[in-house]
Amino acid sequence: QVQLAESGGGLVQPGGSLRLSCAVSGNIFSIDDMGWYRQAPGKERELVAGIRRGGSTNYADSVNGRFTISRNYAKNTVSLQMNNLKPGDAAVYYCHALIQSAWRPYDSEYWGQGTQVTVSS
């Protein structure tokens, strides 16, 4: 009943930009860490960008300087602005969050269903 819904994926050319968004819904007490992960075929899921409850951020070395993560506390959303996309960025991107809710009033891990990002000429 706590749900994460991603949007914004699609097909872009190398050097292009996309903005991913993730909206959290449910009877939420609080949201702590949030982040974006990605998984390419045959590879393990990896952290792309994370943002803490206090606002501090961290990025994978491969995207640092090109991607920006942000969150809106009032709307319970997290976004990922992706600029100068490269073929190596192609993957399914997943929204992730640690959430305390009426259902589970302690930090619990939630994932979105994933959104496809394709980078191709």
Side-chain angles (χ1 to χ4, degrees):
Q1 292 171 358
V2 173
Q3 299 183 25
L4 280 62
E6 300 114 328
S7 62
L11 172 65
V12 297
Q13 297 181 5
S17 297
L18 283 174
R19 184 176 179 86
L20 306 182
S21 296
C22 174
V24 179
S25 62
N27 294 324
I28 299 168
F29 290 165
S30 66
I31 304 175
D32 292 313
D33 295 1
M34 305 186 78
W36 288 93
Y37 291 71
R38 67 187 182 190
Q39 187 168 25
K43 296 185 178 181
E44 296 293 321
R45 188 171 299 185
E46 64 172 343
L47 175 67
V48 177
I51 184 166
R52 303 282 294 275
R53 181 67 177 86
S56 62
T57 59
N58 62 286
Y59 298 90
D61 289 342
S62 59
V63 308
N64 196 18
R66 299 187 296 120
F67 292 9
T68 302
I69 189 171
S70 60
R71 64 191 293 171
N72 186 310
Y73 295 92
K75 296 182 178 180
N76 291 333
T77 59
V78 62
S79 298
L80 183 68
Q81 179 66 45
M82 304 185 294
N83 297 327
N84 192 23
L85 284 160
K86 302 177 179 180
D89 296 320
V92 177
Y93 283 70
Y94 297 90
C95 181
H96 173 269
L98 297 176
I99 300 172
Q100 299 173 16
S101 67
W103 180 47
R104 292 188 179 186
Y106 45 85
D107 270 351
S108 298
E109 188 174 22
Y110 293 89
W111 294 92
Q113 83 286 352
T115 184
Q116 178 72 53
V117 172
T118 302
V119 185
S120 179
S121 299

